[in-house]
Amino acid sequence: MSASPQLPKQYDAIEVEERWQRIWRDETNYFDPTSTKPQFIIDTPPPYPTGNFHIGNALNWCYIDFIARYRRMNGYNVMFPQGWDCHGLPTEVKVEETHGITKNDVPREEFRRMCRELTLGNIEKMRTTMRRMAFTTDWSNEYITMMPAYYRKTQLSFLQMLKKGYIYQSEHPVNFCTRCETAIAFAEVAYEERTTKLNFFDFDGLEIATSRPELLAACVAVAVHPGDERYTGMAGRKMKVPLFGHEVPLIEDEAVDPAFGSGAVMICTFGDKQDVHWWKQHHLDLRTAIDSHGKMTPLAGKFSGMGTEECRAAVLDAMREGGILKRQEPLEQRVGTCWRCKTPIEILSERQWFVKINQDEILDAAHQVSWNPEHMLLRMEDWVGKMEWDWCISRQRIFATPIPVWFCKDCGELVLPEEADLPIDPTVDTPAHPCPKCGSTNFIGEKDVLDTWMDSSISVLNVTGWDGTGKPAHFPAQIRPQGHDIIRTWAFYSILRAVALTGGAPWEEILVNGMVLGEDGFKMSKSRGNIIAPEEIICKYGADGLRQWAAAGAATGSDIMFNWNDVVAASRFQTKLWNITRFVVMQLDRAEYRHQEPTVLADRWLSAKLSATVVEVTAAMDAYQFDRALRAIREFAWEVLADEYIELVKGRLYGEGEGRDGACSTLALTLDALCRLLAPFIPYFAEECFSAIGEGSVHAQPWVSYAYSDPEALTDGEFLVALVSELRRYKHDHGIALNGPLGKVTVMVPHPIDDGGDAARTLNADLHWHTGPADLEQVISDIKFNMAVIGKTFRKEAKPFMDAVKALPEEAIEHPPATIQVNGVEVAVPENAFSPVYSYMIEGEQVDVITVRDVIVTIQRSA
Ligand SMILES: [Zn+2]
Ligand SMILES: [Zn+2]
């Protein structure tokens, strides 16, 4: 036993954490590709480098780190990579804001440089927080999607899917943000409730209601329900569009709701998704009235060049002037908006690149993955089932992976680069060979770039070592941790891409975490002012406090409300644990002790409780139930170890000899196990405690495998604890000081118990375990009268009645007769009028009796 310096009285989380952070080395956490240990690869989420590692990230990363640390302790070769999903709108929008420009104000390369610079600075800020949080990130497996080493793989995956027929280009209506000037995917459309106006106007004799009169120039048909008698025989008739004058057909379609307004609706290209359906189904014209900048096209005539809002007002004015606007009503509407800038989306038809969605293929793969919690699979099934359009992957932006293709200027042929030449920027680079079709050397590089999900959806391929030839060496990954808000994007696209490129499901398991809500129960947002930054918590309570909150706050998968009280409670638990550790270390260091197996009841009991705790915590960790694991550790450490066991064995610890050896051995083993159980959750604290009792780092130790079975010790130990607790209460109730002498205590147990004198010492009692027949004599020492009954029945005669009862023989007091004589008169004895009060005697001396779990305990205070 090494004599360690005395531990400080107070646990200073900040000092301890900063000290260990300087000592720990990154290399410890590197994945070893040559290892013979089983692999455990975590397909971690690459966050947007916003520069702000928010508390939602912290929750997600805490889960990942609990898993990584637990697996390492269980002998796995763990990869906990860290990616950065750099491309995309958030960064471009930020650069535009910061520099007060739009993307077209500076050359493309200059704009990209600004984006890269911003991104690298942000990554550095977030790395700092992640290190402070003690995440065991494998920094040798860091990837940055804007770097050539990564986007080469994105381009390679594009080419391979193009060759396999998964990717195609087509003119097709897509969701389009006219502020960001780019197409966006359905998954990126956010919905907002807005109040707008429904305008009823005269359309060539029919009444039509629309919330978007500015689309009148794009009207291509009027539709009615085929069963609507008001329009029987009118199908095919030409209708003249008011204000614009072009003619459109009147068509019939089952999807029209005849109960809405006049039952006639106008179809425009495109007001909403329904318009797209009708447009395709009835082979209608395409009239593009809004361009990609959100301005009205020349098709809009005198409204041409106006923004959509301006045009709406102008069209309504024109309708009023022409006397065709009949009335307006308020309308509650769900409007699709750009997820990033909240601009209402338009549906525009443009040439775009698409990825084919094969629903069955994706569902098959999704079912091969084990979902935690299980019900999250339903969200995936639901989303896949609703897919109607293919995934639009082209974006008209700049800071993104270029689409690696050219078009021949002379014959229009699509020209692809060699895989070996990737990465390329087709707007800068030229093909290595002339056009394979016509031999021309004039090319136009594709200007469109890829949706950022095209980068991040191959994260799993990247971390498992994909090189473009089928299944990667370490594929599939063991687990994908992620939030439930990106099931329909990141999880969905990742499965799609893994299946397309390798033919298999990307992971064995997926672990879905919830969202963090503010203290007010609402989603954290700047406008609500309920944001809590991880740094704020760390500098008050340490990273361990935040980590413990993440573990204990909610069941995995549920949303979790941030609450300062939970962090304070976490910190209090650490204080308690620190006090336990200090006490144990002090006892162990006080004098040498001989290690021995548990023989005394309390030692056997604690060993059995520890063993059960290890089983419970291990099962919870295997099921990713971190709250359950931590609860089991906490109950064991706080209640069983500190409040019960240590109180019981203090006497032995303060003494000498075998009794002390047993208690010290048990405590040393227990504290060692506790440090290991806590290591995944509060790594700094566990390391600090472990360093006081063990050799090396707790994080290099194997997971606890301690097993001790002793059912008798469990039952008898519970009884012992209950006995001590009842007798303490007795002392308290009788005004005896807690360490004052209690007298002679006899415990009438059914079988012999050897507690090594623990109970006697802790209670300061002369305690005897008695197994024979109890030589306890029961006497009636008093009679308890029920005055409610007696007063009502006997009124003034109550006292004579009670005197008569007192004169009865003992037998009659225990079993009252039907009548008794009161002053010579026979009176009936009412029910429940009185009952005997017993006293107990041992060897003629009166004792107090209590029962503890059906066991009789006598207390002779005078002895
Ligand atoms: Zn936008
Ligand atoms: Zn050509």
Side-chain angles (χ1 to χ4, degrees):
M1 194 68 230
S2 62
S4 48
Q6 248 201 9
L7 301 179
K9 211 161 173 185
Q10 301 291 334
Y11 180 74
D12 180 352
I14 310 300
E15 184 276 321
V16 170
E17 295 188 357
E18 287 175 354
R19 175 156 44 81
W20 284 114
Q21 202 193 325
R22 284 194 298 273
I23 294 170
W24 289 335
R25 299 265 74 93
D26 282 353
E27 295 74 25
T28 321
N29 307 318
Y30 288 177
F31 176 76
D32 176 5
T34 64
S35 169
T36 53
K37 294 175 177 179
Q39 75 164 34
F40 195 86
I41 295 184
I42 308 171
D43 180 21
T44 51
Y48 279 115
T50 54
N52 160 31
F53 190 79
H54 60 73
I55 196 160
N57 295 137
L59 176 72
N60 200 174
W61 263 252
C62 280
Y63 286 177
I64 298 169
D65 197 52
F66 301 156
I67 297 168
R69 287 176 178 276
Y70 174 67
R71 290 288 172 172
R72 271 191 216 102
M73 292 178 87
N74 277 286
Y76 285 84
N77 179 26
V78 173
M79 189 199 288
F80 177 173
Q82 182 56 55
W84 301 99
D85 184 18
C86 313
H87 286 141
L89 279 178
T91 303
E92 291 197 19
V93 171
K94 188 80 195 166
V95 163
E96 287 175 331
E97 273 172 25
T98 312
H99 296 271
I101 53 168
T102 72
K103 62 174 183 174
N104 299 322
D105 296 343
V106 291
R108 280 169 87 89
E109 198 36 52
E110 172 65 5
F111 189 73
R112 281 194 183 131
R113 193 196 56 73
M114 290 171 167
C115 291
R116 278 197 299 269
E117 188 183 84
L118 172 78
T119 304
L120 287 176
N122 285 347
I123 288 177
E124 198 42 51
K125 282 184 212 157
M126 293 171 79
R127 279 193 194 122
T128 306
T129 310
M130 296 166 98
R131 285 178 180 280
R132 186 64 185 79
M133 285 296 292
F135 299 140
T136 48
T137 309
D138 175 357
W139 293 107
S140 73
N141 273 294
E142 185 181 29
Y143 62 89
I144 302 178
T145 61
M146 68 179 180
M147 295 303 192
Y150 191 94
Y151 77 74
R152 184 186 76 79
K153 294 182 190 175
T154 306
Q155 290 190 332
L156 182 59
S157 70
F158 173 90
L159 282 187
Q160 293 202 348
M161 285 177 66
L162 181 68
K163 288 172 191 166
K164 285 182 177 183
Y166 274 96
I167 290 179
Y168 64 96
Q169 50 175 340
S170 156
E171 169 103 7
H172 190 276
V174 291
N175 292 303
F176 202 95
C177 173
T178 54
R179 198 224 67 92
C180 300
E181 296 178 15
T182 183
I184 60 174
F186 253 106
E188 293 168 325
V189 178
Y191 289 91
E192 280 180 21
E193 301 292 332
R194 286 187 189 185
T195 307
T196 174
K197 278 198 187 101
L198 190 58
N199 308 285
F200 295 81
F201 68 102
D202 183 275
F203 191 117
D204 200 6
L206 288 185
E207 187 188 77
I208 294 225
T210 181
S211 60
R212 301 207 51 194
E214 71 274 22
L215 280 174
L216 204 53
C219 178
V220 291
V222 170
V224 295
H225 192 275
D228 194 334
E229 286 172 3
R230 288 170 289 186
Y231 306 105
T232 309
M234 281 173 66
R237 199 178 115 176
K238 291 283 174 200
M239 310 279 297
K240 194 169 170 200
V241 178
L243 304 185
F244 295 92
H246 61 284
E247 289 197 327
V248 299
L250 187 127
I251 62 168
E252 291 179 336
D253 194 288
E254 298 276 348
V256 179
D257 176 9
F260 180 75
S262 66
V265 294
M266 67 172 187
I267 301 173
C268 306
T269 51
F270 298 94
D272 56 20
K273 224 166 137 183
Q274 183 61 49
D275 280 347
V276 178
H277 270 293
W278 281 328
W279 171 73
K280 274 201 215 168
Q281 217 173 329
H282 297 280
H283 309 287
L284 300 170
D285 290 344
L286 177 70
R287 289 179 65 89
T288 304
I290 299 171
D291 69 13
S292 60
H293 307 283
K295 300 279 184 240
M296 302 309 294
T297 66
L299 204 66
K302 63 174 180 176
F303 306 101
S304 159
M306 289 182 181
T308 50
E309 295 283 329
E310 186 189 0
C311 177
R312 181 180 308 180
V315 166
L316 286 172
D317 281 346
M319 282 180 171
R320 268 186 212 101
E321 269 168 38
I324 59 169
L325 184 64
K326 294 179 167 174
R327 64 184 192 282
Q328 295 179 305
E329 285 174 7
L331 177 71
E332 292 298 324
Q333 214 180 15
R334 257 181 106 229
V335 180
T337 63
C338 169
W339 69 282
R340 180 63 206 172
C341 73
K342 301 292 173 225
T343 304
I345 54 134
E346 296 292 347
I347 297 176
L348 303 185
S349 185
E350 299 223 324
R351 183 189 65 84
Q352 302 285 353
W353 292 88
F354 295 89
V355 170
K356 266 187 204 156
I357 289 172
N358 182 335
Q359 280 144 312
D360 293 341
E361 205 173 77
I362 295 167
L363 282 178
D364 271 358
H367 283 118
Q368 287 164 36
V369 177
S370 157
W371 291 71
N372 297 290
E374 221 179 309
H375 66 263
M376 293 293 177
L377 173 60
L378 297 178
R379 295 206 191 182
M380 174 61 81
E381 290 176 333
D382 183 50
W383 175 246
V384 176
K386 276 196 299 205
M387 302 296 305
E388 290 176 62
W389 294 6
D390 283 340
W391 173 20
C392 174
I393 53 167
S394 44
R395 297 289 181 274
Q396 292 68 50
R397 296 294 306 188
I398 294 172
F399 184 51
T401 299
I403 295 180
V405 302
W406 296 273
F407 302 97
C408 172
K409 239 182 199 167
D410 295 320
C411 74
E413 178 75 353
L414 179 69
V415 179
L416 307 180
E418 297 293 326
E419 290 187 357
D421 294 337
L422 298 176
I424 61 147
D425 180 350
T427 64
V428 178
D429 304 313
T430 51
H433 306 287
C435 170
K437 198 171 168 193
C438 75
S440 164
T441 51
N442 293 321
F443 301 100
I444 305 171
E446 172 62 274
K447 261 203 170 125
D448 281 7
V449 293
L450 289 171
D451 176 7
T452 183
W453 293 110
M454 280 292 280
D455 295 331
S456 60
S457 57
I458 57 162
S459 65
V460 65
L461 298 179
N462 179 57
V463 299
T464 53
W466 186 66
D467 62 1
T469 56
K471 273 205 171 91
H474 299 286
F475 188 87
Q478 275 54 57
I479 195 165
R480 150 67 67 89
Q482 66 159 71
H484 62 60
D485 55 329
I486 49 174
I487 288 178
R488 62 186 204 172
T489 48
W490 195 38
F492 173 76
Y493 295 141
S494 297
I495 293 175
L496 187 165
R497 303 263 276 148
V499 172
L501 292 161
T502 73
W507 333 282
E508 290 169 4
E509 286 188 83
I510 182 166
L511 176 69
V512 181
N513 65 270
M515 302 291 114
V516 179
L517 309 175
E519 282 194 288
D520 53 4
F522 288 99
K523 203 177 156 187
M524 284 194 189
S525 71
K526 267 190 200 141
S527 57
R528 284 195 180 275
N530 61 351
I531 293 180
I532 306 276
E535 291 80 3
E536 202 181 321
I537 303 164
I538 294 171
C539 70
K540 282 190 190 136
Y541 296 97
D544 280 346
L546 176 53
R547 293 175 63 108
Q548 207 180 312
W549 162 80
T556 312
S558 321
D559 287 346
I560 166 170
M561 201 160 34
F562 180 78
N563 188 337
W564 278 108
N565 288 338
D566 293 347
V567 182
V568 172
S571 159
R572 210 173 286 147
F573 177 48
Q574 281 174 34
T575 302
K576 181 78 181 179
L577 279 168
W578 183 248
N579 292 339
I580 296 171
T581 305
R582 271 186 72 237
F583 175 80
V584 172
V585 169
M586 221 145 52
Q587 296 312 316
L588 299 184
D589 286 354
R590 186 171 68 79
E592 293 282 320
Y593 67 91
R594 263 189 339 169
H595 183 79
Q596 62 170 49
E597 293 301 308
T599 52
V600 177
L601 175 59
D603 300 346
R604 287 163 54 212
W605 174 67
L606 188 75
S607 302
K609 290 293 265 189
L610 173 64
S611 179
T613 304
V614 171
V615 169
E616 167 71 2
V617 175
T618 305
M621 292 302 280
D622 285 338
Y624 308 111
Q625 293 166 350
F626 309 117
D627 55 333
R628 177 184 149 201
L630 203 60
R631 196 160 50 238
I633 297 173
R634 190 190 146 91
E635 276 172 20
F636 174 77
W638 197 310
E639 289 159 27
V640 176
L641 175 62
D643 291 354
E644 293 167 349
Y645 177 79
I646 289 182
E647 287 308 318
L648 256 179
V649 305
K650 267 183 180 164
R652 270 194 286 144
L653 283 172
Y654 297 158
E656 301 294 337
E658 245 180 67
R660 177 172 186 273
D661 291 348
C664 283
S665 303
T666 309
L667 279 176
L669 184 130
T670 303
L671 189 58
D672 170 88
L674 259 185
C675 288
R676 296 181 205 216
L677 292 175
L678 287 166
F681 296 111
I682 45 176
Y684 291 115
F685 184 88
E687 188 80 317
E688 184 73 358
C689 292
F690 189 79
S691 71
I693 54 160
E695 300 290 330
S697 167
V698 70
H699 304 298
Q701 308 301 316
W703 183 248
V704 192
S705 59
Y706 183 71
Y708 179 88
S709 174
D710 191 340
E712 191 193 65
L714 274 180
T715 333
D716 289 354
E718 295 305 335
F719 173 72
L720 182 64
V721 165
L723 173 73
V724 168
S725 147
E726 283 301 319
L727 286 170
R728 283 223 174 95
R729 193 199 317 262
Y730 175 91
K731 275 184 153 181
H732 175 265
D733 292 348
H734 291 79
I736 306 170
L738 222 53
N739 55 357
L742 181 57
K744 182 176 175 182
V745 174
T746 308
V747 190
M748 320 252 176
V749 279
H751 62 261
I753 283 182
D754 175 11
D755 75 334
D758 284 341
R761 273 186 299 268
T762 193
L763 291 164
N764 192 6
D766 173 19
L767 189 138
H768 299 264
W769 300 94
H770 181 93
T771 42
D775 43 11
L776 192 63
E777 195 191 336
Q778 178 177 290
V779 294
I780 294 174
S781 58
D782 201 358
I783 299 166
K784 190 171 171 233
F785 290 100
N786 185 347
M787 293 317 291
V789 173
I790 295 170
K792 204 169 88 188
T793 315
F794 298 102
R795 304 194 180 266
K796 282 181 183 157
E797 297 301 309
K799 185 154 186 319
F801 171 78
M802 284 156 67
D803 288 341
V805 170
K806 283 177 190 162
L808 290 172
E810 283 200 354
E811 161 64 24
I813 290 166
E814 283 184 303
H815 307 287
T819 58
I820 57 170
Q821 294 277 333
V822 179
N823 295 337
V825 183
E826 184 94 357
V827 299
V829 178
E831 288 230 357
N832 300 321
F834 58 88
S835 53
V837 175
Y838 294 108
S839 279
Y840 298 88
M841 313 281 285
I842 289 179
E843 292 156 3
E845 202 176 324
Q846 191 175 328
V847 293
D848 282 350
V849 174
I850 60 173
T851 55
V852 179
R853 303 193 173 180
D854 294 337
V855 167
I856 294 170
V857 179
T858 65
I859 304 144
Q860 248 173 298
R861 298 210 1 225
S862 56

